Amino acid sequence: MKKSAFLLLLVLTGWACSQQKEIAGRQPASGSPAIDTSGYEITIIDPDFERWYRLRFSPSFDRSNDYYRTMNNIGVNNWNDYFMRGRYNRIIGSYINWNPTTDYGIEINRRLYWYFVYYEETFRIRLLR
């Protein structure tokens, strides 16, 4: 009896491990942070942004990485300025740690740029101008 229970446990363990390999090979869900090959990641917590982004973004609107970097530099400076002065403190509740000399990759730069556009449209706050 003990041997059959041990054998059954061994078979179940092998089956469970094979299921983990299958799950590990899948692509991440669309709600997960965008990860670029540069090793940086961006986490956007706003639940409405994903839906808004899927409706607004299309490859025909895509720009160069340099364009996104330039616009993000303006957006981050304005965002952090509003945060430090306490302006829009009910809407802007965090500081963005951004280094303008670092190339974060096009995926990160694109998502951050579109997040600023989303904020401008949703809350009527000037970030990219």
Side-chain angles (χ1 to χ4, degrees), residues 96-116:
I96 298 176
N97 188 11
W98 175 266
N99 184 353
T101 61
T102 302
D103 183 12
Y104 293 99
I106 192 160
E107 289 296 320
I108 303 297
N109 289 327
R110 180 187 301 129
R111 302 270 303 172
L112 185 58
Y113 168 79
W114 280 96
Y115 188 65
F116 289 144

Side-chain angles (χ1 to χ4, degrees), residues 60-127:
S60 64
F61 295 134
D62 207 5
R63 305 282 177 101
S64 70
N65 192 28
D66 289 332
Y67 175 82
Y68 289 133
R69 286 178 69 183
T70 302
M71 295 305 289
N72 286 342
N73 194 32
I74 295 167
V76 167
N77 287 335
N78 288 334
W79 180 284
N80 289 340
D81 182 53
Y82 292 152
F83 176 76
M84 296 301 273
R85 290 189 297 147
R87 190 170 182 195
Y88 307 116
N89 59 356
R90 292 186 182 198
I91 300 169
I92 296 177
S94 64
Y95 183 85
I96 298 176
N97 188 11
W98 175 266
N99 184 353
T101 61
T102 302
D103 183 12
Y104 293 99
I106 192 160
E107 289 296 320
I108 303 297
N109 289 327
R110 180 187 301 129
R111 302 270 303 172
L112 185 58
Y113 168 79
W114 280 96
Y115 188 65
F116 289 144
V117 172
Y118 164 75
Y119 244 71
E120 282 189 337
E121 286 186 14
T122 304
F123 300 108
R124 306 286 185 232
I125 297 174
R126 296 181 74 158
L127 292 170

Side-chain angles (χ1 to χ4, degrees), residues 7-23:
L7 185 59
L8 179 63
L9 182 63
L10 188 63
V11 169
L12 287 175
T13 303
W15 178 75
C17 290
S18 68
Q19 294 298 321
Q20 287 295 329
K21 288 179 189 174
E22 197 174 297
I23 292 170

